[in-house]
Each structure stands twice: as C-alpha cells, then as structure tokens.
C-alpha cells in the first residue's frame, strides 16, 4: 500500500478517537443534566389535582361531612374553600368540609389546594341546601 492512502485514514481515525473521548468525558455531565431536566419535568407534571365531588344536596340544619381529596403534587396540602354555606367550614389540614347547614339556596363552592411546593389546583361544584318545609315534624 502506498502512504498516500494511509494519510487520509489517520485524520479520520484521530477524529473518531477524539469524538469517543469527548463523549466519554461529557457522558456523566450530560446524564446528570438529562436527569435534572427529567426531574423538573416530572415535578411540573405532578401538580396537584382536586377531585370534584359532584353536586351536593342537603336539607337546612343537616350535619354535613364532605371529604375533599387531591392527588399529585408534594404533600402536605393546605386546603381552602370559598362560598361555603353558612355554618360550614373546611379544615385547612385535612380538606374535610363539615358543620351544620344554616340558611338555604344554591351556591357554587370553590375548593383550592396548595401543595408544599406552592402549586395550586381547584375545583368548583354546586351545593344546594333546601329549606325543610317542616323542620320539627
């Protein structure tokens, strides 16, 4: 073989060797970067979701207990609710809505959860309280 044919192969072999060296050196850093990106994507994708309990109907002066639930996010959760019927409250630690319904009417209740990472989610549902025609019969 002539040396003219060997000369072009040496730069190609050198380039392949250099590329292999760069990949081997950057491999752990690249893998760590990809792992961090995957972790951030998983955290973003795992925002909390509040389960909707559906429409609620009670009579006036009923004792109520409605447990709200959430999935995803980072525990512990903090719960809040707006537009609850008079006499009912939500436990900020457990998400339990309880109390005695006073008054009557239909309300749109919004329940919000905030996870430990600060992500929030909410759901809304209607809650109808019917005035009993004969509360002491």
């Amino acid at each position: 073989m002539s040396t003219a044919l060997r000369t072009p192969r040496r730069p190609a072999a050198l380039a392949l060797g250099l590329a292999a060296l760069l990949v081997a050196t950057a491999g752990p850093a690249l893998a760590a970067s990809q792992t961090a990106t995957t972790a951030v994507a998983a955290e973003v994708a795992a925002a909390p979701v509040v389960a909707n309990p559906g429409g609620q109907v009670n009579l006036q002066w009923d004792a109520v207990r409605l447990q709200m639930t959430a999935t995803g996010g980072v525990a512990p959760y903090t719960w809040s609710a707006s537009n609850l019927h008079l006499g009912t409250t939500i436990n900020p630690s457990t998400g339990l809505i309880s109390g005695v319904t006073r008054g009557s009417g239909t309300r749109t209740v919004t329940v919000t959860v905030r996870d430990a990472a600060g992500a929030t989610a909410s759901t809304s549902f209607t809650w109808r309280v019917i005035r009993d025609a004969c509360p002491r019969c």
Side-chain angles (χ1 to χ4, degrees):
M1 293 192 154
S2 74
T3 56
L5 292 176
R6 287 188 204 170
T7 305
R9 289 185 186 172
R10 284 189 185 182
L14 183 61
L16 286 174
L18 184 58
L21 179 64
L22 289 174
V23 168
T25 304
L30 184 60
S33 172
Q34 288 173 339
T35 301
T37 302
T38 304
V40 169
E43 187 173 317
V44 170
V49 175
V50 181
N52 189 307
Q56 302 294 308
V57 178
N58 291 96
L59 293 175
Q60 186 178 17
W61 305 110
D62 275 354
V64 297
R65 292 177 57 83
L66 177 62
Q67 181 64 58
M68 299 301 297
T69 58
T71 57
V74 181
Y77 300 127
T78 302
W79 295 89
S80 62
S82 63
N83 209 25
L84 285 171
H85 281 282
L86 187 62
T88 60
T89 59
I90 188 166
N91 182 312
S93 299
T94 64
L96 177 67
I97 299 173
S98 61
V100 175
T101 55
R102 301 187 313 208
S104 62
T106 302
R107 295 181 177 225
T108 300
V109 176
T110 301
V111 175
T112 304
V113 67
R114 178 180 299 271
D115 73 358
T120 61
S122 61
T123 191
S124 296
F125 58 95
T126 58
W127 198 332
R128 182 175 177 210
V129 174
I130 303 169
R131 178 174 287 153
D132 192 357
C134 185
R136 295 194 172 53
C137 293

